[in-house]
Amino acid sequence: MAVAPSLEHDLKFSSRFIAGFLICAPFTAFSAMHVVVVEGLGGEARYIEQFAEQVAVLESAAQSLTDENQIRVFRADDVSRDEVLQYFADLKSATTNSDQVALFLIGHGSYDDHEYKFNIPGPDLTGEDIAEMLNSLPSTSQLLVNTSSASGAIAELAANENRMLILATKSGVERHATRFGGYFAAALQDPSADIDKNQVISAAEAFSFAERQVDDYFERNGQLATEHPRLEGNRADRFSVARLGEVRRDTADSVLTDLIAERDEINAMINSLRLEQDNMTPENYRSALLRHMVRLAETEEAIEARETELGDEN
Amino acid sequence: MRTNRTVVGCTTFLALLSGLPAAFARDIHYGAIFDDDVIACDQLHWRGQIEESRECYSELLRNSDSLAARAEAAWALKDLQTANSLFQQAMRLNPDDVVTRVRWGDLYADSHQDAEAMEIYREALERDENDPFAQLGAARVLAGSFDDAANAFLTPLLTDPTKADGARVGALLLSARVALENGRRDEAVDALDDAEEIVNRNDWPPLEIFALRAAADLLNNVTESSWTEASLEYNPHYGGIYEVPAHFYVITRRYRGAIDLYQKAVDIDSSLASAHEELGVNLLRDNQVSRARKHLVTAHDQDPFSPIAVNTLRLLDSFANFTLINDPEMPNDAGLEPVTLRLHKEEAAAIAPYAIQLTRDSIKEFTERYNFQLREPVIIEMYPDHEDFAVRTAGMPGLGILGATFGYVVAMDSPSGRPPEHFQWGTTLWHELAHVFTLEATDHLVPRWFSEGISVFEEWRSGPNPGVRIPMSVYNAMNDDRFLPVAELDEGFLRPTYEEQIIVSYMQAGLVCLYIDSEYGAESLRALLYKFGEGTLTGEAIEAVLGISPEEFDKGFDRYVRSEHGAILDNFEDWHRTQLSIQQKLSDEDWSGIIELAKHLISLLPGYIEPDSPYLALAHAHDELGERQKAIAVLETFSANGGYDPAALKRLGHWLYEVNRLSDAIDILQSVNLVDPLDQELHGALGDMLLEDQRAEEALLEYSIALALNPHDKATAYYRMANAYHELGNDEQSQNYLLQALDVAPNFRPAQRLLLDLMRADSDNQH
């Protein structure tokens, strides 16, 4: 009885995927990626456990993207405001403007209508602290993910043309413990979050997955939503937060290099075709798309075969 | 995301400030008013001289010196704002005028503002605690909301012969109506006789008496009542002569009969808003949507204060968000009974396949068991918003039931309307479809208890999730000896005396049917059904079909209940104590401590599968202790006993898959669709399993539903469709879906590989 969606409708191209498609290997355009994870106080046992699990996932995801010495995790039982601030002060001189920096805050937050605070032992990290420590860095590609309650309170403070923000709440008024953090962490390990199937989860993909899960949760349970996640900044689709597949090694093999170049060329042709879609009949578009997709598939098949050969030779 | 629509409750309208004219027949006040001029106009109206009465009231409104008289005239002319204003002025001038104050209260009561009316009646009673018309007004308002406090006001009027005649007549008519509703016909007739004597003595219109007598005749299966003729002779425009009996058709579920009578009511009095409204509501119960809307609009235009018309019209507006699915799509020679589904557009694709299959299965089952062939298409409506369902059923929000059947029309909550762990939509649909048969096979004469009993019995015996499921609250009632004698079981549904009596009555009715089936055979259940179809009452039917008195039946039933459920009834305290211990051990994560306790409870009541079932605790404990096989066995037993907790069954399904019991895993996950069909991840996973089991057609259905539910990962969803089509040999469709998958994710390797396989196979075929 279910009616399959029409082909014509579903071949209409989403601009979101144009943006994602244009940039195939986001993080390799940058020099280095630095990841900082700060785990806040859980209070109750269930939150302590949840936050620890989320931090473990983030750490594992960071390891799939960058070197161990560029990852710093501050655990809840061993973190202080001074240490975090000092770390960022040191990071300032250790990073360049072409580096990427991601800061993840996993914990509870509070907002008293004046000031946001991320709860850690001792003096809390304030919204101003967070904004200033990121502002001090030369990096022009920054990601701040704050999954705490009331995290939306820092949206304006932390807004910056170099920075993407992913916040669990729309404002400081949403003060309940959030579900967003758990879903965001789950996105980093779930292939269904990888919308474009490039084996890399972008910040946009992780946000989109988690936002959908939050919506679905409240709708299925018939509850009024107590949190509304928000994403600010334009380049979240180009900022990787996890890798699902293996890293493809750089190669000097000319055959492989040519195949990769051919693949990139086909991808560019597909992108151009999409831009022309409205000027084509559905049949012509479909026919052209099919030709390109077949070529792309054949090229990818050849790349895999060549990699296997090279692997066998080694 | 769907949001709840605002639904209007009884008391949310503002007072009479809108200035819009309301429309209701001029009430017969039986001496509550003393103004001769008003009475003169009223007498014209009560005789059906409508134009003359209108001129009389207009003249009165223009020229009377009495504010109260002008208020009455404005009211009669349906200018409520002016009437209200005039009453207010009259009260300012003479606040101790109780007579006028009570009439002012009556104005509010007539415009559905009961709380305001009660306040005014209380003000009147503060000034004169024995004012009979204030007492009558209060009684009417309270009786309308089934509040027993009405009796405090009614009793003095019925028992004190010195009370004003008019108030006594009003009280007698009210008690006659209630008696008829409660099946106490003789009591009603006595009250009507008393009322008639007073009415004749005072030369008041006998119309309301005629109407209730006609209703009494109707309940005695006399459809052509002499009282109708008498009423029409007295006043050819008194719509109440049809409207009042129609109400009794409605409460006995004879909706088509009600429709005919309400239509006659508006035919002779087109300004009777209440009849238009009830006509509209009942036409909707008969799926006559356009006609229903027409009368509801008229009702609303004439009486904008009634929440029922507004709520129902809003519901009809919301039908734009629903889609109609007909199966079969075209009439065919295959002999399939036509089924129509009205489902919300966002859910239709997920629910329709299962709903149609269930409906077909139930029709086959019940046609054979009850020897009845359906004569019309079945229409099934599912509402994601429970308040919409409540309005659909009762015209008002706040209804506690899950489904309702009006004949061939079934309305129920959608799976998304309730938390899945508390609502098996598939079982509810099965229950309601059984009602279609019991109602239609008996021309709606089946008593409520038996129709519910058959429906519950069929849930347990033949439904999509068989098993006798009884909530603990019902065992509590059994333990307190609260089951009713079978001859009185209808009372438990129609006039419950304690909070849980309705659910207790449902379960008792189901057990009665189970008992009859086991003790006397299936043919006895069928025979009883058809005996009820002759209009026979319960006691007589039991005697005629089973050959024993109702009292003997009750004894046999008691013995049956004891033998089937004695274990729990004899160990009630133990059960509750052990349950508490288990809950504590769950909190403490004392998994070993749970095992024996849970097993003990299961031995007492193996059929207990509610959300706090010991099966769930036991399975959880075994799993935490690393005893997966035992956990699986426990949940399988839970499922076999009718357990439907979707989280538990999803877990079981995946566990079975992990131990390579593919076919069992599929069975379990398919059963979850009858509880939670809107989980697109489940549909995807189930589709994968079905494909692995080489059941590509079924896999395709699951994938189609997953896709229709707007999954987040569209590339995978399209790829799955492509894969299933490929397995079915439909490479054209496979390619279509592959292109859609790759359009979303050009680098999706599995889709790329399949595309190449298709192209190469096609190329090979061409060579």
Side-chain angles (χ1 to χ4, degrees), chain A residues 1 4-5 7 10-11 192 195-197 208-209 212 219-220 274 286 290 293 296 298 300-301 304, chain B residues 1 325 676 678 710 712-713 716 718 735-737 740 742-743 745-746 748-749 752-753 756 760:
Chain A
M1 276 306 297
L7 180 63
D10 284 301
L11 280 182
S192 66
I195 295 295
D196 58 7
K197 303 299 175 199
S208 174
F209 178 90
R212 169 79 184 253
E219 181 157 345
R220 283 168 70 77
R274 284 176 173 151
R286 185 181 179 285
L290 179 61
M293 289 299 182
L296 184 64
E298 287 170 339
E300 193 63 54
E301 188 181 60
E304 280 184 359
Chain B
M1 181 185 296
I325 296 170
D676 186 9
L678 301 174
N710 190 26
H712 189 70
D713 182 2
T716 298
Y718 290 134
Q735 189 179 99
N736 283 340
Y737 279 100
Q740 290 182 74
L742 290 166
D743 201 19
F748 191 16
R749 282 301 290 141
Q752 288 181 338
R753 288 191 197 104
L756 288 181
R760 286 163 185 163

